[in-house]
Amino acid sequence: MPDRLAPRRVTAPQPGAGQEAAFGRPDSVAGSFSADRPPPPARPVPPPPPEAFLRAFGPGASGQRGLQEPPSGRPGRRRTAAGPWWKADARSDPWRDPYAPAGLGAPAVFPAEPEEQPGPIVVDARGRRRVRLRDLSVRLSALALLAVLLVGAVGGGVGWYLTRSTPESPLLAPGTTLSQVDPGITREPGSVSDIAAEVTPAVVSIEVRVGEGGATGSGVVIDGDDGYVVTNNHVVSGAEGVEGAEIRAVFSDGSGSEARIVGRDPASDLAVIKVEKPGLVTASLGKSENVVVGDPVVAIGSPLGLAGTVTSGIVSALERPVRLAGEGSDTNAVISAVQTDAPINPGNSGGALVDATGALIGINTAIASLGGAGTTGGSIGLGFAIPIDTVREIAEQLISTGSAVHASLGVNARSVTDGTRDGALVLNVEPNSAAANAGIRERDVIIAVEDDPVGSSEELVVAVDRHAPGDEVTVEIVRDGRSQELRATLDAA
């Protein structure tokens, strides 16, 4: 067995001479220092309180303890209970006076349980007689149940017998008259119903048959005495010069009449047809200058072949340049259109757009779609109408001569922009045209015609069409980054 290790000696640092002199025990002292420690000085005696404190807070002359009376004396007894010291038991309540004597109150008393009453008829606390079900005998309960079942069986049998024995009422009742109420219906002048009743007789449905095919549209009577009806060119152009083609106008009363083409104008998408029917209602023609954005309007026509259809909306924009190119038609026009949110659908073409007075302000001609403006697709809330001033001017020319004349500058252009200014870039100039004689060249950008701003090729066509052939106009162009004005005498298109 190996030897155990000896304990390691613990050494402590020895105090120095200065530490022994300061903290060491004197040689003459063998024990602690407490025996000869000097006593601590006596605590100072606090000065007596001032006389004012003694009078205010000191005990009374009789040496009483506890809460004292207020200096002004105890207030008289009051009937209110707003303060605890005004109650009669204030002095005996230990929560308000810590020196109040303790006292015992009366013991708690529990109500005696009611005596058990023999059933089944008992009397409750209010003196009412009741039946206690648990005390009823089995025989009595069974008898009551049988009585209930018997009453139910008898009642059901009687009801069944009465329903079987009562004869059924007949299905038919000749001469029956239902009650009727005639409330007063107020239709204010200028309402949609009032406008529709006034204008619908002047709107016709147009049916075009070419061989096995056909098309439908609308028209408006502009001269009822001679039977002239205005419509769109793309509605009737398919029947022009085609042997066996038939155009028929159907009026609001259901009657119809064959129609002949008086004249067509593909450049404005307008046409006039003539019917042989006397006494037609003529539409009242308004003025384009009286139309403002926000005016209520009503569109009347035959969308999808549904004659006499009325829709309403407002004028949502004016002088909107719209390019028209009817499918299967020779229409190639740019119009300064009246834009409306009145629902317009295929078949509304050639129909009436009237204001709140019933005056004709435009001929519905196109609707907006994701593919552009045309007459296909459905209404998306953007429709376009030819302004009435243009309709009047073109219709008068067609009725007078069978054709319409438009002014021409003699250029082909496309819309361009440099980011700050828009215009119409001249792609080519027709020889001996008004543009060529005025010095307009290819690559020029036209930005105005006679103070009318031009921001696109459509706006250029509209600006030129506002003038008549032979008019001299100022054309502002941009060439090589500089603006200049040229004078041009417009030709006939």
Side-chain angles (χ1 to χ4, degrees), residues 57-69 91 97-100:
F57 302 102
S62 61
Q64 66 177 5
R65 302 183 63 186
L67 299 177
Q68 304 176 23
E69 301 289 345
R91 286 192 172 277
D97 187 358
Y99 295 102

Side-chain angles (χ1 to χ4, degrees), residues 8 21 38 61 92 99 139 147 157 237 314 317 339 393 399 468 483:
R8 187 175 60 181
S92 61
Y99 295 102
R139 293 182 179 181
S237 61
I314 63 169
Q339 179 179 307
E393 179 183 356
I399 295 173
S483 174

Side-chain angles (χ1 to χ4, degrees), residues 340-475:
T340 177
D341 67 347
I344 296 175
N345 290 280
N348 269 119
S349 297
L353 185 69
V354 298
D355 61 12
T357 66
L360 185 68
I361 63 171
I363 296 296
N364 299 319
T365 186
I367 57 178
S369 63
L370 298 180
T375 55
T376 60
S379 174
I380 60 174
L382 290 177
F384 304 101
I386 303 173
I388 187 58
D389 286 356
T390 302
V391 174
R392 181 187 292 104
E393 179 183 356
I394 299 300
E396 289 175 351
Q397 294 184 50
L398 294 178
I399 295 173
S400 300
T401 64
S403 61
V405 179
H406 297 271
S408 174
L409 185 60
V411 298
N412 292 325
R414 66 179 177 89
S415 304
V416 293
T417 181
D418 60 0
T420 59
R421 185 165 53 182
D422 302 330
L425 175 65
V426 178
L427 300 179
N428 57 69
V429 180
E430 297 178 5
N432 299 322
S433 64
N437 295 333
I440 298 176
R441 307 174 187 172
E442 295 181 1
R443 312 305 299 175
D444 287 347
V445 178
I446 301 176
I447 60 175
V449 174
E450 199 65 26
D451 297 330
D452 290 334
V454 173
S456 64
S457 59
E458 290 80 10
E459 292 184 4
L460 174 61
V461 176
V462 171
V464 172
D465 198 46
R466 289 194 178 102
H467 303 277
D471 290 349
E472 186 177 5
V473 297
T474 300
V475 181

Side-chain angles (χ1 to χ4, degrees), residues 292-375:
V292 297
V293 174
D295 279 350
V297 291
V298 176
I300 304 176
S302 304
L304 308 176
L306 304 174
T309 298
V310 177
T311 56
S312 64
I314 63 169
V315 174
S316 55
L318 293 173
E319 298 182 356
R320 179 76 72 191
V322 179
R323 184 175 295 276
L324 306 176
E327 184 178 354
S329 170
D330 59 354
T331 298
N332 184 16
V334 177
I335 62 173
S336 179
V338 177
Q339 179 179 307
T340 177
D341 67 347
I344 296 175
N345 290 280
N348 269 119
S349 297
L353 185 69
V354 298
D355 61 12
T357 66
L360 185 68
I361 63 171
I363 296 296
N364 299 319
T365 186
I367 57 178
S369 63
L370 298 180
T375 55

Side-chain angles (χ1 to χ4, degrees), residues 149-337:
L149 295 177
L150 180 60
V151 172
V154 171
V158 172
W160 175 84
Y161 174 77
L162 292 177
T163 56
R164 296 292 294 178
S165 60
T166 303
E168 294 182 352
S169 60
L171 291 177
L172 302 180
T176 299
T177 302
L178 301 179
S179 61
Q180 179 176 335
V181 178
D182 295 327
I185 299 176
T186 302
R187 294 185 177 93
E188 298 180 358
S191 63
V192 175
S193 58
D194 184 63
I195 296 172
E198 178 183 352
V199 180
T200 299
V203 180
V204 303
S205 298
I206 299 177
E207 300 174 354
V208 180
R209 296 188 179 276
V210 181
E212 298 297 329
T216 60
S218 306
V220 182
V221 179
I222 56 175
D223 188 344
D225 295 334
D226 294 328
Y228 290 113
V229 177
V230 66
T231 184
N232 283 139
N233 174 69
H234 70 263
V235 173
V236 299
S237 61
E240 175 72 12
V242 178
E243 185 177 356
E246 180 183 355
I247 302 175
R248 182 176 178 82
V250 180
F251 306 96
S252 60
D253 59 0
S255 61
S257 172
E258 292 187 3
R260 296 172 295 164
I261 297 178
V262 177
R264 301 184 303 111
D265 182 30
S268 64
D269 195 23
L270 287 173
V272 175
I273 62 176
K274 182 178 177 63
V275 297
E276 302 299 332
K277 183 177 176 64
L280 295 178
V281 177
T282 303
S284 300
L285 306 186
K287 293 184 179 180
S288 296
E289 63 184 17
N290 295 335
V291 182
V292 297
V293 174
D295 279 350
V297 291
V298 176
I300 304 176
S302 304
L304 308 176
L306 304 174
T309 298
V310 177
T311 56
S312 64
I314 63 169
V315 174
S316 55
L318 293 173
E319 298 182 356
R320 179 76 72 191
V322 179
R323 184 175 295 276
L324 306 176
E327 184 178 354
S329 170
D330 59 354
T331 298
N332 184 16
V334 177
I335 62 173
S336 179

Side-chain angles (χ1 to χ4, degrees), residues 92-170:
S92 61
D93 189 350
W95 294 102
R96 283 172 280 189
D97 187 358
Y99 295 102
L104 297 177
V109 178
F110 296 92
E113 296 183 359
E115 297 181 359
E116 184 71 17
Q117 301 181 23
I121 300 177
V122 297
V123 180
D124 60 7
R126 297 184 179 182
R128 295 173 296 185
R129 299 170 64 87
R130 297 183 179 275
V131 177
R132 193 160 55 193
L133 297 179
R134 61 185 177 88
D135 292 336
L136 293 176
S137 63
V138 177
R139 293 182 179 181
L140 185 59
S141 301
L143 182 60
L145 179 60
L146 289 176
V148 172
L149 295 177
L150 180 60
V151 172
V154 171
V158 172
W160 175 84
Y161 174 77
L162 292 177
T163 56
R164 296 292 294 178
S165 60
T166 303
E168 294 182 352
S169 60

